[in-house]
Amino acid sequence: MKAAVIVELGLPPRFGEFPEPEPGEGEVVIEVSAAGVHHWDAVKASGSYTPATAVP
């Protein structure tokens, strides 16, 4: 699947091909056709707006 993923704090999200998610016990996977990424998402991920402590 194509996705923009934060892989390291201080860097913008990386767009690329990633494996399909696998649901854990008691979880389900939903299909999302498209989702927007606001410019603030990239600013926050870069650590330049607020100090980030962990990648979700």
Side-chain angles (χ1 to χ4, degrees):
M1 76 176 187
K2 300 245 186 247
V5 177
I6 298 170
V7 294
E8 185 178 337
L9 294 176
L11 297 177
R14 183 173 57 116
F15 179 76
E17 192 70 35
F18 292 88
E20 293 288 331
E22 295 290 330
E25 186 175 333
E27 298 177 336
V28 296
V29 174
I30 60 169
E31 186 172 325
V32 177
S33 298
V37 177
H38 196 274
H39 73 277
W40 280 113
D41 296 323
V43 170
K44 290 177 189 176
S46 72
S48 62
Y49 180 69
T50 57
T53 57
V55 176

Coordinates of all heavy atoms in Angstrom, one line a residue:
M1 N 0.8 -1.2 0.0 CA 0.0 0.0 0.0 C 0.9 1.2 0.0 O 2.0 1.2 0.5 CB -0.9 0.0 1.2 CG -0.3 0.3 2.5 SD -1.5 0.4 3.8 CE -0.5 1.1 5.1
K2 N 0.4 2.3 -0.6 CA 1.1 3.6 -0.6 C 0.7 4.3 0.7 O -0.4 4.3 1.1 CB 0.8 4.4 -1.8 CG 1.2 3.7 -3.1 CD 2.2 4.4 -3.8 CE 2.5 3.8 -5.1 NZ 3.8 3.2 -5.2
A3 N 1.7 5.0 1.3 CA 1.4 5.7 2.6 C 2.5 6.7 2.8 O 3.7 6.6 2.3 CB 1.3 4.8 3.8
A4 N 2.2 7.8 3.6 CA 3.2 8.7 4.1 C 3.3 8.4 5.6 O 2.3 8.5 6.3 CB 2.7 10.2 3.9
V5 N 4.5 8.0 6.0 CA 4.7 7.5 7.3 C 5.9 8.2 8.0 O 6.9 8.5 7.4 CB 5.0 6.0 7.3 CG1 5.4 5.4 8.7 CG2 3.9 5.2 6.7
I6 N 5.6 8.6 9.3 CA 6.7 9.2 10.1 C 7.6 8.0 10.6 O 7.1 7.2 11.4 CB 6.1 10.0 11.2 CG1 5.3 11.2 10.7 CG2 7.3 10.6 12.1 CD1 4.5 11.9 11.8
V7 N 8.8 7.9 10.1 CA 9.7 6.8 10.5 C 10.7 7.3 11.5 O 11.3 6.5 12.1 CB 10.3 6.2 9.3 CG1 9.3 5.5 8.4 CG2 11.1 7.2 8.4
E8 N 11.0 8.6 11.5 CA 12.0 9.1 12.5 C 11.6 10.5 12.8 O 11.3 11.3 12.0 CB 13.4 9.1 11.8 CG 14.5 9.5 12.7 CD 15.9 9.4 12.1 OE1 16.0 8.6 11.1 OE2 16.8 10.0 12.5
L9 N 11.7 10.8 14.1 CA 11.4 12.2 14.6 C 12.4 13.2 14.0 O 13.6 12.8 13.8 CB 11.5 12.3 16.1 CG 10.4 11.5 16.9 CD1 10.6 11.5 18.4 CD2 9.0 12.0 16.5
G10 N 12.0 14.4 13.7 CA 12.8 15.4 13.1 C 12.9 15.3 11.6 O 13.5 16.2 11.0
L11 N 12.2 14.4 11.0 CA 12.2 14.2 9.5 C 10.8 14.3 9.1 O 9.9 13.9 9.8 CB 12.8 12.9 9.1 CG 14.3 12.7 9.4 CD1 14.8 11.4 8.9 CD2 15.2 13.8 8.7
P12 N 10.5 14.8 7.9 CA 9.2 14.8 7.3 C 8.7 13.4 7.1 O 9.5 12.5 7.0 CB 9.3 15.6 6.1 CG 10.7 15.6 5.7 CD 11.5 15.4 7.0
P13 N 7.4 13.2 6.9 CA 6.9 11.9 6.6 C 7.5 11.4 5.3 O 7.7 12.1 4.4 CB 5.3 12.1 6.5 CG 5.1 13.3 7.2 CD 6.3 14.2 7.1
R14 N 7.7 10.1 5.2 CA 8.3 9.4 4.0 C 7.1 8.8 3.3 O 6.4 7.9 3.8 CB 9.3 8.4 4.4 CG 10.0 7.8 3.2 CD 11.2 6.9 3.7 NE 10.7 5.8 4.6 CZ 10.8 4.5 4.4 NH1 11.3 4.1 3.2 NH2 10.4 3.7 5.3
F15 N 7.0 9.1 2.0 CA 6.0 8.5 1.2 C 6.6 7.3 0.4 O 7.7 7.4 -0.1 CB 5.5 9.5 0.1 CG 4.4 8.9 -0.8 CD1 3.1 8.7 -0.4 CD2 4.8 8.5 -2.1 CE1 2.2 8.2 -1.2 CE2 3.8 8.0 -2.9 CZ 2.5 7.8 -2.5
G16 N 5.9 6.2 0.4 CA 6.4 5.0 -0.3 C 5.4 3.9 -0.2 O 4.3 4.0 0.3
E17 N 5.9 2.7 -0.5 CA 5.2 1.5 -0.5 C 5.5 0.8 0.9 O 6.6 0.6 1.3 CB 5.7 0.6 -1.6 CG 4.8 -0.6 -1.9 CD 3.4 -0.3 -2.5 OE1 3.3 0.7 -3.2 OE2 2.5 -0.9 -2.1
F18 N 4.4 0.5 1.6 CA 4.5 -0.1 2.9 C 3.7 -1.4 3.0 O 2.7 -1.5 2.2 CB 4.1 0.8 4.0 CG 5.0 2.0 4.2 CD1 4.9 3.2 3.4 CD2 6.1 1.9 5.1 CE1 5.7 4.2 3.6 CE2 7.0 3.0 5.2 CZ 6.8 4.1 4.5
P19 N 4.0 -2.4 3.8 CA 3.2 -3.6 3.9 C 1.8 -3.3 4.4 O 1.6 -2.3 5.2 CB 4.0 -4.5 4.9 CG 4.9 -3.6 5.6 CD 5.1 -2.4 4.8
E20 N 0.8 -4.1 4.0 CA -0.5 -4.0 4.5 C -0.6 -4.2 6.0 O 0.1 -5.1 6.5 CB -1.4 -5.0 3.7 CG -1.6 -4.7 2.3 CD -2.5 -3.5 2.0 OE1 -3.4 -3.2 2.8 OE2 -2.3 -2.9 0.9
P21 N -1.4 -3.5 6.7 CA -1.4 -3.7 8.2 C -2.1 -5.1 8.5 O -3.0 -5.5 7.7 CB -2.3 -2.6 8.7 CG -3.0 -2.1 7.5 CD -2.2 -2.4 6.3
E22 N -1.7 -5.7 9.5 CA -2.3 -6.9 10.0 C -3.0 -6.7 11.3 O -2.4 -6.1 12.2 CB -1.2 -8.0 10.2 CG -0.5 -8.4 9.0 CD -1.4 -9.3 8.0 OE1 -2.3 -10.0 8.5 OE2 -1.1 -9.2 6.8
P23 N -4.3 -7.0 11.4 CA -5.0 -6.8 12.7 C -4.5 -7.7 13.8 O -4.2 -8.8 13.6 CB -6.4 -7.0 12.3 CG -6.4 -8.0 11.2 CD -5.1 -7.7 10.5
G24 N -4.4 -7.1 15.0 CA -4.1 -7.9 16.2 C -5.4 -8.5 16.8 O -6.5 -8.3 16.2
E25 N -5.3 -9.2 17.9 CA -6.5 -9.8 18.5 C -7.5 -8.7 18.9 O -7.1 -7.7 19.5 CB -6.1 -10.6 19.7 CG -7.2 -11.4 20.3 CD -6.8 -12.3 21.4 OE1 -5.6 -12.7 21.4 OE2 -7.6 -12.6 22.3
G26 N -8.7 -8.9 18.5 CA -9.8 -7.9 18.9 C -9.7 -6.6 18.0 O -10.4 -5.7 18.3
E27 N -8.9 -6.6 16.9 CA -8.8 -5.4 16.1 C -9.3 -5.8 14.7 O -9.4 -7.0 14.3 CB -7.4 -5.0 15.9 CG -6.8 -4.5 17.2 CD -5.3 -4.2 17.1 OE1 -4.6 -4.6 16.2 OE2 -4.8 -3.4 17.9
V28 N -9.7 -4.8 13.9 CA -10.1 -5.0 12.5 C -9.3 -3.9 11.7 O -8.9 -2.9 12.2 CB -11.6 -4.8 12.3 CG1 -12.4 -5.8 13.0 CG2 -12.0 -3.4 12.7
V29 N -9.1 -4.2 10.4 CA -8.5 -3.3 9.5 C -9.6 -2.7 8.6 O -10.4 -3.4 8.1 CB -7.4 -4.0 8.6 CG1 -6.9 -3.1 7.5 CG2 -6.3 -4.6 9.4
I30 N -9.6 -1.4 8.5 CA -10.5 -0.7 7.7 C -9.8 -0.2 6.4 O -8.6 0.0 6.4 CB -11.2 0.5 8.4 CG1 -10.2 1.5 8.8 CG2 -12.0 0.0 9.5 CD1 -10.8 2.8 9.3
E31 N -10.5 -0.1 5.3 CA -9.9 0.3 4.1 C -10.2 1.8 3.9 O -11.3 2.3 4.0 CB -10.5 -0.5 2.9 CG -9.8 -0.1 1.6 CD -10.3 -1.0 0.5 OE1 -10.6 -2.2 0.7 OE2 -10.4 -0.5 -0.7
V32 N -9.1 2.6 3.7 CA -9.2 4.0 3.5 C -8.8 4.3 2.0 O -7.7 3.9 1.6 CB -8.3 4.8 4.5 CG1 -8.4 6.3 4.2 CG2 -8.7 4.5 5.9
S33 N -9.7 4.9 1.3 CA -9.4 5.2 -0.1 C -8.4 6.4 -0.2 O -7.5 6.4 -1.1 CB -10.7 5.6 -0.9 OG -11.5 4.5 -0.8
A34 N -8.6 7.4 0.6 CA -7.7 8.6 0.6 C -7.8 9.3 1.9 O -8.8 9.3 2.5 CB -8.0 9.5 -0.6
A35 N -6.7 9.9 2.2 CA -6.6 10.8 3.5 C -5.7 11.9 3.2 O -4.7 11.8 2.6 CB -6.2 10.0 4.7
G36 N -6.1 13.1 3.7 CA -5.3 14.3 3.5 C -4.2 14.4 4.5 O -4.3 13.9 5.6
V37 N -3.1 15.0 4.1 CA -2.0 15.3 5.1 C -1.9 16.8 5.1 O -1.5 17.4 4.0 CB -0.7 14.6 4.7 CG1 0.4 15.0 5.6 CG2 -0.9 13.1 4.6
H38 N -2.2 17.5 6.2 CA -2.1 18.9 6.3 C -0.6 19.3 6.5 O 0.2 18.5 7.0 CB -2.9 19.4 7.5 CG -3.2 20.8 7.5 ND1 -2.3 21.7 8.1 CD2 -4.2 21.5 7.1 CE1 -2.8 22.9 8.0 NE2 -4.0 22.8 7.4
H39 N -0.3 20.5 6.0 CA 1.1 20.9 6.2 C 1.6 20.9 7.6 O 2.8 20.8 7.9 CB 1.4 22.3 5.5 CG 0.8 23.4 6.2 ND1 -0.5 23.8 6.1 CD2 1.4 24.3 7.1 CE1 -0.7 24.9 6.9 NE2 0.4 25.2 7.5
W40 N 0.7 21.1 8.6 CA 1.0 21.1 10.0 C 1.5 19.7 10.4 O 2.3 19.6 11.4 CB -0.1 21.6 10.9 CG -0.2 23.1 10.9 CD1 -1.2 23.9 10.4 CD2 0.8 24.0 11.5 NE1 -0.9 25.2 10.6 CE2 0.3 25.3 11.2 CE3 2.0 23.8 12.1 CZ2 0.9 26.4 11.6 CZ3 2.7 25.0 12.5 CH2 2.1 26.3 12.3
D41 N 1.0 18.7 9.8 CA 1.4 17.3 10.1 C 2.9 17.2 9.8 O 3.6 16.6 10.7 CB 0.6 16.3 9.3 CG -0.8 16.3 9.6 OD1 -1.2 16.5 10.8 OD2 -1.6 16.1 8.7
A42 N 3.4 17.7 8.7 CA 4.8 17.6 8.4 C 5.6 18.5 9.3 O 6.7 18.1 9.7 CB 5.0 18.1 6.9
V43 N 5.1 19.7 9.7 CA 5.8 20.6 10.6 C 5.9 20.0 12.0 O 7.0 20.0 12.6 CB 5.0 22.0 10.7 CG1 5.6 22.8 11.8 CG2 5.1 22.7 9.4
K44 N 4.9 19.4 12.5 CA 4.9 18.7 13.8 C 5.9 17.5 13.7 O 6.6 17.3 14.7 CB 3.5 18.3 14.2 CG 2.6 19.4 14.6 CD 1.2 18.9 14.9 CE 0.2 20.0 15.0 NZ -1.1 19.5 15.3
A45 N 5.8 16.7 12.7 CA 6.7 15.6 12.5 C 8.2 16.0 12.5 O 9.0 15.3 13.0 CB 6.3 14.8 11.3
S46 N 8.4 17.2 11.9 CA 9.8 17.6 11.8 C 10.4 18.1 13.2 O 11.6 18.3 13.3 CB 10.0 18.7 10.8 OG 9.4 19.9 11.3
G47 N 9.5 18.3 14.2 CA 9.9 18.7 15.5 C 10.2 20.2 15.5 O 10.6 20.8 16.6
S48 N 9.8 21.0 14.5 CA 10.1 22.4 14.5 C 9.0 23.2 15.1 O 9.2 24.4 15.3 CB 10.4 22.9 13.0 OG 9.2 22.7 12.2
Y49 N 7.9 22.6 15.4 CA 6.7 23.4 16.0 C 6.6 23.1 17.5 O 6.6 24.0 18.3 CB 5.4 23.0 15.3 CG 4.2 23.7 15.9 CD1 4.1 25.1 15.7 CD2 3.3 23.1 16.6 CE1 3.0 25.8 16.3 CE2 2.2 23.7 17.1 CZ 2.0 25.1 17.0 OH 1.0 25.7 17.5
T50 N 6.6 21.8 17.8 CA 6.5 21.4 19.2 C 7.5 20.3 19.4 O 7.7 19.5 18.5 CB 5.1 21.0 19.7 OG1 4.7 19.9 18.8 CG2 4.1 22.1 19.6
P51 N 8.1 20.1 20.6 CA 9.0 19.0 20.8 C 8.2 17.7 20.8 O 7.3 17.5 21.5 CB 9.6 19.3 22.2 CG 8.7 20.2 22.8 CD 8.0 21.0 21.8
A52 N 8.6 16.8 19.9 CA 8.0 15.5 19.8 C 8.8 14.5 20.6 O 10.0 14.6 20.7 CB 8.0 15.0 18.3
T53 N 8.1 13.6 21.3 CA 8.8 12.7 22.2 C 8.8 11.3 21.7 O 9.7 10.5 22.1 CB 8.2 12.7 23.6 OG1 6.8 12.4 23.5 CG2 8.4 14.1 24.2
A54 N 7.9 10.9 20.8 CA 7.8 9.6 20.3 C 7.0 9.5 19.0 O 6.2 10.3 18.7 CB 7.2 8.7 21.3
V55 N 7.3 8.5 18.2 CA 6.6 8.3 17.0 C 5.4 7.4 17.3 O 5.6 6.4 18.0 CB 7.5 7.6 15.9 CG1 6.7 7.2 14.7 CG2 8.6 8.5 15.5
P56 N 4.2 7.8 17.0 CA 3.0 7.0 17.3 C 3.0 5.6 16.7 O 3.6 5.5 15.6 CB 1.8 7.8 16.9 CG 2.4 8.8 15.9 CD 3.8 9.0 16.2

